[in-house]
Amino acid sequence: MLSGGGNLGALQVGMLRALVEFGVEPDVVLGCSVGAINGAAFALRPDLAGVELLEEFWTRPDGAEVMPGSRLPPIVSMLRRGESLHTGEGLRSRLGDLLGGAARFDDTIVPFQCVAADVDSAVETWFDEGPLIPPVTASAAMPAVFPVVEVAGRRYLDGGAVNNVPISRAIELGCDEVIVLHVGLHGRPDASIRRPLDAALQAYWVARNARFANDLANLPDGVEAVILPPGERPDVRFDDFSQSAELIRRGHRNATRFLERRAGATELRAGPVDRLRTGLRPRAWLAEVRRAAVDPEGAVLRAEPGSSESTDRTESAPPGPPSAEG
């Protein structure tokens, strides 16, 4: 399950390399926004060669073509007339190079789905058939950065607006283990509010990321969420792709350390915590969920089956030495 995150999606490429090296073979790949781009490419070729193609895609010198630079300050660019900062032509061209212009969902080796937000009905829409590039482009159509994308007569924008870390879709499909490749506190605006725009950006960020924590809190019994470590949030502009190679390296190193510690661990679960008689999950579980949703070191959450006398348990990666990468 690959989340949105803009140019920080390079972290996911390193995570994918680590998963392949550990022999993880997914039954389905789900992607949102930049995670739809990475997920589609990986589903087409779920091996080290496919990861290397993604690494080349992210580190090519012409990567800036996706978001060409501007002499105008960002705030001025946002206020000028027009639907978006960029046309999206550069993104579509690069996706054609990566996925193949005629690629379709049924060409993938591993089943793949991606999510986009339907502009007119304000609901999430999942794509799993037909040509790949239009839905993937729609899923990655960041508001204000790229224009809305029309697919089969309907208008769509970035899937992150409705389900940025779509664990819920994996649950709907019957998955009992969900490996989450997200990029941490990406896109979080400055905490200080100096203008009305700052408040609006804060509200959008909170609404988008609260869904992740809520879905974790409501994991069905017997389902495990493995959240790979995103590391500390890097200081990089949303349109700066010059640090992609370093982000790939960070994603790989952090995920490798996490998976090594987990593979070498035996019983890591916390002690049992009784459910409330009402069927609601206890505060201990909710506190662990809140931590897991933002922890740069990653986490594992497991909801145990049972009645009111059964338990909810949590598992975290064992402590290790702090990483310079975060």
Side-chain angles (χ1 to χ4, degrees), residues 301-316:
L301 297 175
R302 181 187 293 110
E304 297 288 0
S307 63
S308 61
E309 284 74 33
S310 67
T311 61
D312 284 334
R313 297 172 181 171
T314 62
E315 176 183 327
S316 299

Side-chain angles (χ1 to χ4, degrees), residues 4 241 244 312:
F241 292 86
S244 292
D312 284 334

Side-chain angles (χ1 to χ4, degrees), residues 193-217:
I193 298 178
R194 302 183 183 89
R195 303 179 299 268
L197 178 61
D198 297 331
L201 291 175
Q202 284 278 5
Y204 174 70
W205 186 87
V206 169
R208 184 180 63 179
N209 289 276
R211 173 75 183 265
F212 179 32
N214 185 67
D215 286 347
L216 286 176

Side-chain angles (χ1 to χ4, degrees), residues 163 165-169 171 210-220:
N163 201 349
V165 191
I167 291 177
S168 57
R169 183 62 172 181
I171 302 305
R211 173 75 183 265
F212 179 32
N214 185 67
D215 286 347
L216 286 176
N218 290 285
L219 285 177

Side-chain angles (χ1 to χ4, degrees), residues 1-6 8-9 12 31-36 139 158-160 163-166 181-184 186 208:
M1 207 301 304
L2 295 90
S3 77
L8 300 187
Q12 295 174 344
C32 174
S33 197
V34 72
S139 183
D158 195 333
N163 201 349
N164 191 56
V165 191
L181 286 69
H182 78 128
V183 300
H186 67 273
R208 184 180 63 179

